[in-house]
C-alpha cells in the first residue's frame, strides 16, 4: 500500500473518548492556496488557471508553523492548525504550547489550547478551554493560561487557570477573574495579570494585578488601571504594561507604562505612543522593543515599530519603519523578528512577517511571507514558531491571476498581475481570456476584460474595453462571448451580453440586448445559453434563462423560464444542467438545481433539491459536481460542495464540507478543483482553493466511536457508512512507521472493531483506517492513545455532545470505592445524582437523564471519586 499523508485525524487522551468525525475525501494537502477568495477556474492541459481577488499564493500550512531562524523556511514536520493562534510559548523541550481560537491541530480536535511536541506530533494534552486563549505562561510543570473562558482542564475556571503540563488538568489555583485576562507575566512566586477584570484573586483589582503563584490570591500590588490592559512584560525591577488606559500606577500614562514591582507605582518611563496602541513588547539587550498601531512614540515619529530607552521611554535612533500594524515581536541573537498585518518594512516588501537587525535597523533577507496576520512569535533553539490567522506561509506574489501546475498545485512563472478582481476565465488557442472588475493587467490598461498569452503571461493587444464588470466568458471558434454588468463593450453599446471578435476585440453584430444582468454563459453547437436575472433577451420575453441563436442572437424555441436567477449552466448532450436561486425551472418545481431537456426546455425528472444557491457546476463521468451556498442536497448534509449522480439526481457519498461558499469548479486529469470563500475544506485548513481526485472509492463518513487504552491493551471502534468495502487497520508506534495490523470488513451496521494486545506500558500509539488501493489510498479515523501503567480517573462527558434529550455519559474509574456522577444546571443546582462506584475499575457509559428527558440548554456533569472532582460541560439540543 502506497504511503500517503493522513487526510483527517482524531486524537484522544489515554482513556478519553471522542465522538468527532473524520471526513475521508482525499483532499490533496500539497495543493497551493491563496490569501483571498478565488472566483474563477479553468484547466488547460496540465495547467490550472485561477482568478480572484488574491495577492499571494502559497502552500497550505494552517495558522501555526515552525520556521528556520536562518532561512525563514517552514521546518517540517508540523501539524496544521484550523483557526487562529493568538499566543505561543516554548515547552523547553523543542515543542510548543499554542493558544487561541482554534478547533483542530494536526486534524485532531483541540479547542483553543494544544501542545505540539518537538517531533511535530500533537500531544495528548487537551485542557479544552471553552473560550479563546489570549496568553500563556510556562513555569516548570505548570502552564498558566488566560483568556475568555469559563472552564478549562476539567474544572470551572473563569478566564485564568493553572494547568498541569503532563495531564492538562486544572490545579486548585483559582484567581477567578470576572473579566477577560489578556496578558500574563510569570516571575518568581508571582503571576502578573492584565485584562478587563474588576475582581481577581479575591480582591478588587482594576484591569491589572499580581497573584500569588501558590495560592492564586491577589497581592497588595495594585496599579489600578482605568481601562483594559492588553500586554505585560518584565523588565529590571519593573513590569511594563500596555493597553488602552490613561491612568495607571497613580500617574497619567497614555497606553504604556512601567510599574515598580514593589509598589505598583508608575516610574518615569513614559513613551506616550500618540493615538496608537502597543501590541507587542520585548525587553532585550538594553532596549525595549515595541510594536503596534502607533505612528509616533517616545517623542519621535516611528512607523509601528520602535526601540525605547528602558529608563526614560524615549525612542532611540533605531527606525525600521513598518507600513502597518505590528502585533508580535521576538528578539534572537541580535535580530528582531516582526509579525503583524503589514506589507513592507524599511521600504522592502515583507508580507506580515520579517526581520530587522537590532543594531542598525536594516531589514534582513529573512522573508517567510505569511498570507495573513501574524499574532504570535516565539523562539526555541534554531526555530521561530509563528501563529496567527494566516493559512499559508512561504507565499509568492500573484495579483488576481495565477497559473498552477495541475498535478503538484505549485504556481508556474506565469504572472500577468491584475489590478482588481478576476471573476471569469476562458482559454482558447494559447490565449487566456480574463473578465472581472479590474483596470490594469501588467503594465497595460484593460477595463474589465483582457487577453493574456498563455505561455508568457504578457497582455495581448486585444482590448474590448468594457464599461463595467465582466462575470462570464465562453469561447467558440473565433468568437468570445462575454456577459456581466456592462452596457458598452468592444466599441459598441451592448446590454449585459456581447459577442467579441477573438482577433480584434470588436463587438460583432450579435446583440441579444438583455434587460438586466447576465451572470452565466455556456455554448453548445449553435446555441448560446445565458442565465441571470433578466426578463427580456434575444428579442422576446424570457425569464432568467435563455437559449440564443449563435448566429442571430435571437431566442430559439428552447424556452424553459425560471422564477429566480441562474448562476450556472452546463450543457451535456441532450441535457442542460442549471444552478442558481430558483424554485421553479422548466415548468416544474426545482430547488436551485435542475436538468433541462436540450430540445424542449422542460425539466427532466432529475431533482437533487438543494436548499441554497448553486453557483457553479462541473461534470466528470457520471457525476455532476455542484458548488454554492447550500447546506444540503437531496436531504443529505452537504456544505457548499456536493457530487450528484448525473442520471438519478441522488447525492453521492462525496462530501468535503467546505466552511464557505464554493464559487467555481473545474475538472480534468482525474481531479476536481474547487474555489471560493472557504478556509476549511475536507477537514483541512485549505483556503480558497482545493483539489480532490475524482472516482476515489471512499466511505461517506468515518467516525471514531471508541478509543480506550488499558495497561494490557487498546480497544478501538470505528463507524463506517457509505459502503462495505474492506479497510486496513494501521498502527504507528515508537518506531515512527505506519504498519498494517490486518484488514476488516464493516459489519452489518458499519462498525469496525479492533483490539491491540501487543502494546507496551507508557508507549504512545496511533491507529487509523486505510481504504482504496495504490496511489488512491486514503486514510481516516485516526486516533492516538497512550498506554497507562494504571487506570486513572477520567470524565469524558456526554456522548455525543451536544445530545438530544437523553444523556449517555462516559467516564473511567481507577478502582472501587464510592463514586458519584451528578448532573448540574448552569446555576449550580443539582438535578440528578447517581452512585457509580459499584461499577468498579474500568471505562463505563451510563444514562444520566432524570425523568426520561431534559430541556434544551447547557448543563454540567460532575464526577467525584476519592476526594477528586472532575467536571465537563454538555448541551441538550432538539
Amino acid at each position: 500500500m502506497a504511503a500517503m499523508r493522513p487526510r483527517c485525524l482524531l486524537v484522544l487522551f489515554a482513556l478519553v473518548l471522542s465522538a468527532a468525525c473524520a471526513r475521508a475525501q482525499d483532499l490533496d494537502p500539497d495543493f497551493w492556496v491563496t490569501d483571498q477568495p478565488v472566483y474563477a477556474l479553468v484547466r488547460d492541459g496540465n495547467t490550472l488557471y485561477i482568478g480572484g481577488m488574491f495577492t499571494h499564493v502559497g502552500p497550505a500550512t494552517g495558522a501555526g508553523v515552525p520556521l528556520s531562524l536562518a532561512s525563514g523556511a517552514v521546518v517540517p514536520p508540523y501539524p496544521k492548525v484550523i483557526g487562529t493562534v493568538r499566543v505561543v510559548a516554548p515547552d523547553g523541550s523543542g515543542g510548543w504550547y499554542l493558544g487561541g481560537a482554534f478547533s483542530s491541530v494536526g486534524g485532531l480536535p483541540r479547542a483553543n489550547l494544544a501542545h505540539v511536541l518537538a517531533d511535530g506530533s500533537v500531544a495528548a494534552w487537551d485542557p479544552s478551554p471553552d473560550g479563546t486563549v489570549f496568553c500563556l505562561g510556562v513555569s516548570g510543570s505548570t502552564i498558566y493560561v488566560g483568556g475568555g473562558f469559563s472552564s478549562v482542564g476539567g474544572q470551572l475556571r473563569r478566564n485564568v487557570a493553572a494547568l498541569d503540563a503532563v495531564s492538562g488538568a486544572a490545579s486548585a489555583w483559582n484567581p477567578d477573574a470576572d473579566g477577560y485576562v489578556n496578558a500574563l507575566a510569570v516571575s518568581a512566586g508571582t503571576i502578573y495579570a492584565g485584562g478587563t477584570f474588576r475582581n481577581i484573586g479575591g480582591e478588587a483589582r482594576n484591569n491589572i494585578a499580581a497573584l500569588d503563584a501558590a495560592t492564586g490570591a491577589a497581592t497588595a500590588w495594585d496599579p489600578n488601571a482605568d481601562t483594559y490592559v492588553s500586554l505585560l512584560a518584565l523588565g529590571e525591577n519593573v513590569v511594563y504594561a500596555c493597553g488602552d488606559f490613561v491612568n495607571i500606577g497613580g500617574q497619567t500614562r497614555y497606553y504604556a507604562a512601567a510599574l515598580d514591582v514593589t509598589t505598583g507605582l508608575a516610574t518615569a518611563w513614559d513613551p506616550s505612543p500618540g493615538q496608537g496602541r502597543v501590541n507587542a513588547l520585548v525587553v532585550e539587550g538594553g532596549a525595549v522593543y515595541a510594536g503596534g498601531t502607533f505612528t509616533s512614540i517616545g517623542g519621535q515619529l516611528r512607523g509601528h515599530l520602535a526601540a525605547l530607552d528602558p529608563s526614560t521611554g524615549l525612542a532611540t535612533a533605531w527606525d525600521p519603519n513598518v507600513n502597518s500594524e505590528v502585533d508580535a515581536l521576538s528578539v534572537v541573537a541580535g535580530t528582531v523578528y516582526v509579525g503583524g498585518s503589514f506589507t513592507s518594512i524599511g521600504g522592502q516588501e515583507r508580507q506580515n512577517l520579517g526581520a530587522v537587525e537590532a543594531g542598525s535597523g536594516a531589514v534582513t533577507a529573512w522573508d517567510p511571507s505569511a498570507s495573513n496576520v501574524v499574532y504570535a512569535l516565539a523562539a526555541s533553539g534554531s526555530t521561530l514558531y509563528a501563529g496567527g490567522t494566516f493559512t499559508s506561509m512561504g507565499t509568492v506574489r500573484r495579483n488576481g491571476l495565477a497559473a498552477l501546475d495541475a498535478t503538484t498545485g505549485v504556481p508556474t512563472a506565469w504572472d500577468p498581475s491584475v489590478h482588481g478582481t478576476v471573476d471569469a476565465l476562458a482559454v482558447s488557442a494559447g490565449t487566456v481570456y480574463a473578465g472581472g472588475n479590474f483596470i490594469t493587467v501588467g503594465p497595460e490598461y484593460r477595463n474589465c476584460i483582457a487577453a493574456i498569452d498563455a505561455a508568457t503571461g504578457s497582455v495581448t493587444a486585444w482590448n474590448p474595453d468594457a464599461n463595467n464588470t465582466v462575470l462570464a466568458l465562453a469561447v467558440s471558434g473565433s468568437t468570445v462571448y462575454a456577459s456581466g454588468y456592462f452596457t458598452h463593450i468592444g466599441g459598441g453599446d451592448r446590454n449585459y451580453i456581447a459577442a467579441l471578435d477573438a482577433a480584434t476585440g470588436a463587438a460583432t453584430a450579435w446583440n441579444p440586448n438583455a434587460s438586466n444582468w447576465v451572470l452565466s454563459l455556456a455554448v453548445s453547437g449553435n446555441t448560446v445559453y445565458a442565465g441571470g436575472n433578466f426578463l427580456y433577451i434575444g428579442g422576446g420575453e424570457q425569464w432568467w434563462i435563455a437559449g440564443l441563436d449563435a448566429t442571430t442572437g435571437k431566442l430559439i424555441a428552447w424556452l424553459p423560464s425560471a422564477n429566480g436567477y441562474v448562476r450556472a449552466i452546463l450543457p451535456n448532450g441532450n441535457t442542460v444542467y442549471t444552478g442558481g436561486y430558483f424554485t421553479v425551472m422548466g415548468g416544474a418545481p426545482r430547488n436551485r438545481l435542475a436538468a433541462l431537456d436540450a430540445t424542449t426546455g422542460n425539466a427532466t425528472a432529475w431533482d437533487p433539491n438543494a436548499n441554497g444557491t448553486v453557483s457553479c457546476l462541473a461534470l466528470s463521468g457520471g457525476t455532476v459536481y455542484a458548488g454554492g451556498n447550500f447546506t444540503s442536497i437531496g436531504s443529505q448534509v452537504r456544505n457548499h460542495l456536493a457530487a450528484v449522480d448525473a442520471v438519478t439526481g441522488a447525492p453521492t457519498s462525496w462530501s468535503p464540507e467546505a466552511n464557505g461558499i464554493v464559487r467555481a469548479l473545474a475538472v480534468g486529469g482525474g481531479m476536481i478543483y474547487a474555489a471560493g470563500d472557504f478556509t476549511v475544506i475536507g477537514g483541512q485548513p485549505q483556503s480558497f482553493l482545493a483539489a480532490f481526485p475524482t472516482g476515489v472509492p471512499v466511505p461517506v463518513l468515518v467516525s471514531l466511536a471508541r478509543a480506550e487504552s488499558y495497561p494490557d491493551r487498546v480497544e478501538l471502534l470505528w463507524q463506517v457508512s457509505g459502503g462495505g468495502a474492506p479497510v486496513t487497520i494501521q498502527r504507528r508506534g515508537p518506531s515512527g512507521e505506519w504498519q498494517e495490523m490486518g484488514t476488516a470488513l464493516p459489519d452489518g451496521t458499519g462498525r469496525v472493531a479492533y483490539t491491540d494486545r501487543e502494546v507496551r506500558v507508557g508507549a504512545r500509539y496511533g491507529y487509523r483506517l486505510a481504504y482504496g488501493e495504490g496511489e488512491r489510498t486514503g486514510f481516516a479515523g485516526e486516533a492516538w492513545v497512550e498506554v497507562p501503567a494504571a487506570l486513572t480517573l477520567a470524565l469524558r462527558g456526554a456522548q455525543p455532545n451536544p445530545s438530544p434529550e437523553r444523556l449517555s455519559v462516559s467516564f473511567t474509574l481507577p478502582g472501587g470505592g464510592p463514586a458519584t456522577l451528578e448532573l448540574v444546571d448552569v446555576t449550580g443546582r443539582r438535578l440528578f445524582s447517581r452512585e457509580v462506584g459499584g461499577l468498579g475499575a474500568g471505562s463505563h457509559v451510563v444514562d444520566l437523564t432524570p425523568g426520561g428527558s431534559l430541556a434544551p440548554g447547557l448543563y454540567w456533569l460532575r464526577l467525584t471519586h476519592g476526594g477528586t472532582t472532575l467536571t465537563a460541560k454538555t448541551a441538550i439540543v432538539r
Side-chain angles (χ1 to χ4, degrees):
M1 184 172 291
M4 294 178 67
R5 250 185 304 273
R7 302 301 191 240
C8 296
L9 317 177
L10 288 169
V11 70
L12 306 104
F13 282 127
L15 309 173
V16 175
L17 176 77
S18 173
C21 297
R23 297 286 178 182
Q25 305 303 334
D26 245 39
L27 170 78
D28 183 349
D30 296 322
F31 210 82
W32 280 37
V33 298
T34 62
D35 63 343
Q36 294 292 330
V38 175
Y39 298 141
L41 298 173
V42 62
R43 176 167 171 156
D44 184 55
N46 198 48
T47 301
L48 180 73
Y49 296 96
I50 65 173
M53 61 182 298
F54 52 84
T55 60
H56 287 75
V57 296
T61 62
V65 292
L67 302 167
S68 168
L69 284 168
S71 67
V74 174
V75 180
Y78 63 94
K80 295 182 179 181
V81 180
I82 295 178
T84 299
V85 175
R86 285 279 180 180
V87 59
V88 180
D91 68 359
S93 301
W96 314 90
Y97 292 100
L98 312 181
F102 47 80
S103 60
S104 170
V105 180
L108 316 173
R110 286 292 181 272
N112 309 318
L113 196 54
H115 184 194
V116 177
L117 302 177
D119 64 0
S121 65
V122 180
W125 193 79
D126 186 14
S128 293
D130 62 354
T132 302
V133 171
F134 296 125
C135 49
L136 293 170
V138 179
S139 179
S141 61
T142 301
I143 312 301
Y144 295 96
V145 56
F149 48 81
S150 60
S151 71
V152 64
Q155 300 292 332
L156 295 174
R157 292 289 184 270
R158 283 201 301 174
N159 305 313
V160 64
L163 307 173
D164 186 276
V166 176
S167 69
S171 73
W173 193 81
N174 186 15
D176 191 36
D178 65 354
Y180 286 177
V181 173
N182 299 325
L184 292 171
V186 179
S187 185
T190 303
I191 309 300
Y192 296 95
T196 62
F197 48 81
R198 290 291 179 265
N199 294 275
I200 191 172
E203 301 290 344
R205 292 290 184 270
N206 289 322
N207 307 304
I208 187 168
L211 307 169
D212 187 286
T215 66
T219 71
W221 193 79
D222 184 14
N224 190 29
D226 63 353
T227 189
Y228 72 81
V229 173
S230 57
L231 176 65
L232 295 172
L234 298 178
E236 187 174 353
N237 297 319
V238 296
V239 177
Y240 294 101
C242 302
D244 202 41
F245 50 79
V246 174
N247 293 284
I248 190 172
Q251 299 291 328
T252 298
R253 291 290 184 270
Y254 285 94
Y255 317 135
L259 307 168
D260 187 281
V261 294
T262 303
T263 66
L265 296 177
T267 71
W269 192 81
D270 185 13
S272 294
Q275 293 300 309
R277 303 295 184 269
V278 176
N279 299 330
L281 202 71
V282 174
V283 183
E284 182 71 27
V288 178
Y289 295 96
T293 62
F294 55 81
T295 54
S296 68
I297 192 171
Q300 300 291 329
L301 295 176
R302 291 291 182 268
H304 310 287
L305 182 61
L308 307 173
D309 185 284
S311 299
T312 66
L314 296 177
T316 71
W318 191 80
D319 185 17
N321 190 26
V322 182
N323 76 333
S324 193
E325 185 170 346
V326 171
D327 295 295
L329 294 172
S330 182
V331 182
V332 184
T335 300
V336 181
Y337 296 91
V338 186
S341 57
F342 47 82
T343 58
S344 75
I345 302 177
Q348 297 189 40
E349 182 176 341
R350 292 293 183 271
Q351 191 73 13
N352 305 311
L353 188 56
V356 180
E357 292 181 0
S360 66
V363 182
T364 74
W366 193 83
D367 184 18
S369 189
S371 66
N372 213 321
V373 184
V374 174
Y375 282 125
L377 294 172
S380 177
S382 61
T383 302
L384 182 76
Y385 195 99
T389 60
F390 58 84
T391 57
S392 178
M393 187 70 74
T395 69
V396 296
R397 179 169 284 280
R398 293 291 186 273
N399 289 317
L401 268 177
L404 309 180
D405 184 292
T407 303
T408 66
V410 176
T412 70
W414 192 81
D415 183 18
S417 189
V418 173
H419 184 181
T421 301
V422 174
D423 295 291
L425 290 171
V427 181
S428 178
T431 300
V432 178
Y433 297 95
N437 186 17
F438 49 81
I439 58 174
T440 63
V441 180
E444 305 294 337
Y445 283 99
R446 291 292 183 270
N447 287 317
C448 303
I449 189 167
I452 301 121
D453 188 287
T456 66
S458 298
V459 185
T460 73
W462 193 81
N463 185 16
D465 192 30
N467 71 340
N468 210 329
T469 306
V470 173
L471 293 175
L473 294 168
V475 182
S476 179
S478 61
T479 302
V480 179
Y481 296 95
S483 69
Y485 301 154
F486 55 81
T487 57
H488 188 91
I489 191 172
D493 292 332
R494 294 292 185 272
N495 289 321
Y496 313 116
I497 186 168
L500 306 169
D501 187 286
T504 67
T508 72
W510 192 84
N511 185 13
N513 191 28
S515 63
N516 211 331
W517 300 337
V518 178
L519 308 176
S520 53
L521 289 174
V523 181
S524 180
N526 198 49
T527 300
V528 178
Y529 295 99
N533 59 353
F534 51 81
L535 302 180
Y536 184 96
I537 193 172
E541 183 178 348
Q542 181 64 20
W543 289 24
W544 312 103
I545 185 169
L548 304 168
D549 187 286
T551 303
T552 66
K554 300 298 183 181
L555 285 172
I556 64 174
W558 190 80
L559 303 170
S561 286
N563 70 339
Y565 63 79
V566 176
R567 285 288 296 158
I569 303 175
L570 177 63
N572 181 47
N574 197 45
T575 301
V576 179
Y577 296 100
T578 61
Y581 194 70
F582 48 81
T583 56
V584 174
M585 174 66 80
R590 292 290 184 270
N591 289 321
R592 289 102 187 179
L593 261 178
L596 305 172
D597 187 288
T599 302
T600 66
N602 294 329
T604 72
W606 193 80
D607 185 15
N609 187 30
N611 74 337
T613 304
V614 173
S615 302
C616 50
L617 296 169
L619 180 69
S620 178
T623 302
V624 175
Y625 293 93
N629 196 22
F630 50 82
T631 57
S632 75
I633 285 185
S635 299
Q636 299 293 315
V637 174
R638 295 292 184 271
N639 284 310
H640 306 107
L641 183 57
V644 180
D645 188 285
V647 176
T648 67
T652 73
S653 62
W654 192 75
S655 182
E657 299 294 298
N659 73 337
I661 301 173
V662 172
R663 299 187 182 273
L665 294 169
V667 295
M671 301 293 289
I672 172 75
Y673 305 95
D677 300 344
F678 54 82
T679 56
V680 178
I681 190 170
Q684 294 293 317
Q686 190 83 14
S687 57
F688 313 120
L689 182 63
F692 302 85
T694 58
V696 177
V698 299
V700 60
L701 186 71
V702 176
S703 60
L704 186 67
R706 183 161 58 94
E708 297 182 355
S709 62
Y710 303 88
D712 63 341
R713 68 191 187 281
V714 174
E715 296 181 356
L716 301 110
L717 178 65
W718 291 274
Q719 185 72 38
V720 179
S721 58
V727 293
T728 300
I729 299 157
Q730 295 186 342
R731 184 183 80 172
R732 184 177 180 181
S735 68
E737 298 294 329
W738 286 101
Q739 297 177 325
E740 294 185 4
M741 306 299 289
T743 59
L745 278 171
D747 67 13
T749 64
R751 293 181 301 177
V752 176
Y754 178 70
T755 299
D756 184 6
R757 298 187 182 277
E758 300 176 8
V759 296
R760 188 173 73 243
V761 167
R764 186 167 181 256
Y765 296 95
Y767 299 87
R768 68 186 183 188
L769 299 183
Y771 55 89
E773 296 181 355
E775 293 184 355
R776 292 194 169 183
T777 299
F779 307 96
E782 185 165 318
W784 286 84
V785 295
E786 293 175 1
V787 178
L791 294 175
T792 57
L793 184 70
L795 175 61
R796 291 176 289 279
Q799 306 294 329
N801 188 17
S803 295
E805 296 191 0
R806 304 186 64 83
L807 284 178
S808 293
V809 182
S810 178
F811 60 96
T812 296
L813 299 176
T820 305
L821 186 61
E822 300 170 286
L823 178 67
V824 181
D825 67 16
V826 291
T827 69
R829 182 169 57 99
R830 186 173 65 181
L831 303 178
F832 189 64
S833 177
R834 178 171 174 177
E835 170 58 42
V836 293
L839 297 174
S843 294
H844 311 287
V845 177
V846 302
D847 187 274
L848 199 69
T849 311
S853 66
L854 286 167
L858 295 176
Y859 297 87
W860 286 95
L861 300 168
R862 189 161 59 201
L863 176 64
T864 304
H865 177 269
T868 300
T869 298
L870 303 178
T871 61
K873 184 186 288 187
T874 189
I876 298 295
V877 296
R878 292 289 188 268

